[in-house]
Amino acid sequence: MPIEPRVRISDDDRDRTVQRLQRAFAAGLITREEMDDRLELAFTARSHGDLAPAVADLPDEPVDEVVELNSTSGRVKRAGDWLVPRRLRIISGYGGANLDLSQTVIDHPEIEIDLQLAYGSATIILPSGATANADAVVTNWGNTTCKVPGRPTPGKLHVRVTGQLGYGHVKIRYARKPFN
C-alpha cells in the first residue's frame, strides 16, 4: 500500500532515511556535498512527501532476507565479533542456541530473532543498554525470562524475539561483569 505524501513522518522514518543516505555515501553513490544537502532535507522534513526527494534517485534497498542457522542435534553458537543480520532464524531439532550480541557488529536499530527449537533452550546476551521484547515466544514446556527492559530506547538496539519452543526455555540478559 503506497504511503500518502501528506502523512507526517516519525523519528523512525527519518532515521531510516538517514541510514539509507549514509549507506549510499559509503557506497560512493552520492558526494559529501549531496549527502549534506540530503541530510538537511531529511532532518527538516515533516511529511513523506517532503522526505521522498532525499532518496528518490537512489537504488531501492535490498529486501531484508532472513538468515537461517540450522542444527539437527547440536547447539547453534555465535559470539565475539560477528555481523548480525536484521532477521535471524534459529532452527534446531535437538539442540539450543547461545547468541552473544555483546561484541557484535549490528547495522540495524532493531533486529528480530526467531527461535524454532523442538528440544532445547536459548540464551541471548545483549550489549549494554539494549532492550528486548520476547512476548511473541511460545514455550510448551518451559519459560521465557527477560532480564532487560522491554520498551525500545531511542538510539539503542532493540531485539524482538519470536518463535516456538517445544521443551526448553529462553533467557535474555546483559553480559555479566567480570570479577576484579
Side-chain angles (χ1 to χ4, degrees):
M1 188 174 211
I3 297 174
E4 176 66 36
R6 293 177 292 169
V7 172
R8 293 184 72 88
I9 60 171
S10 68
D11 288 340
D12 287 341
D13 295 327
R14 186 174 287 109
D15 289 344
R16 279 190 296 275
T17 300
V18 168
Q19 289 173 1
R20 186 170 174 195
L21 290 170
Q22 290 169 334
R23 286 190 294 271
F25 175 71
L29 296 173
I30 57 176
T31 66
R32 168 59 73 187
E33 293 78 25
E34 288 176 302
M35 171 79 161
D36 292 341
D37 292 343
R38 291 169 189 238
L39 284 174
E40 182 178 346
L41 184 61
F43 287 130
T44 59
R46 294 178 186 256
S47 69
H48 286 280
D50 297 337
L51 192 58
V55 294
D57 63 339
L58 297 178
D60 289 337
E61 295 256 287
V63 177
D64 279 336
E65 294 182 17
V66 177
V67 174
E68 284 190 4
L69 301 176
N70 294 288
S71 173
T72 305
S73 61
R75 294 190 74 73
V76 173
K77 295 181 182 181
R78 294 291 183 274
D81 183 8
W82 59 288
L83 181 61
V84 179
R86 189 174 125 28
R87 297 177 67 206
L88 178 64
R89 180 174 296 133
I90 309 292
I91 302 171
S92 181
Y94 294 94
N98 288 351
L99 303 174
D100 185 346
L101 307 180
S102 65
Q103 299 175 13
T104 59
V105 175
I106 303 174
D107 291 336
H108 311 284
E110 180 175 305
I111 63 171
E112 178 184 337
I113 299 172
D114 180 33
L115 302 169
Q116 300 297 322
L117 308 176
Y119 295 92
S121 296
T123 300
I124 301 170
I125 301 171
L126 301 182
S128 180
T131 59
N133 182 315
D135 292 345
V137 173
V138 176
T139 58
N140 295 332
W141 293 90
N143 58 20
T144 301
T145 305
C146 187
K147 296 186 174 189
V148 303
R151 272 193 352 211
T153 301
K156 298 288 186 175
L157 172 67
H158 183 68
V159 179
R160 286 186 309 119
V161 182
T162 62
Q164 175 92 31
L165 282 80
Y167 296 91
H169 64 273
V170 176
K171 182 182 281 187
I172 304 166
R173 62 177 176 82
Y174 293 128
R176 293 192 173 100
K177 295 180 179 165
F179 292 108
N180 290 328

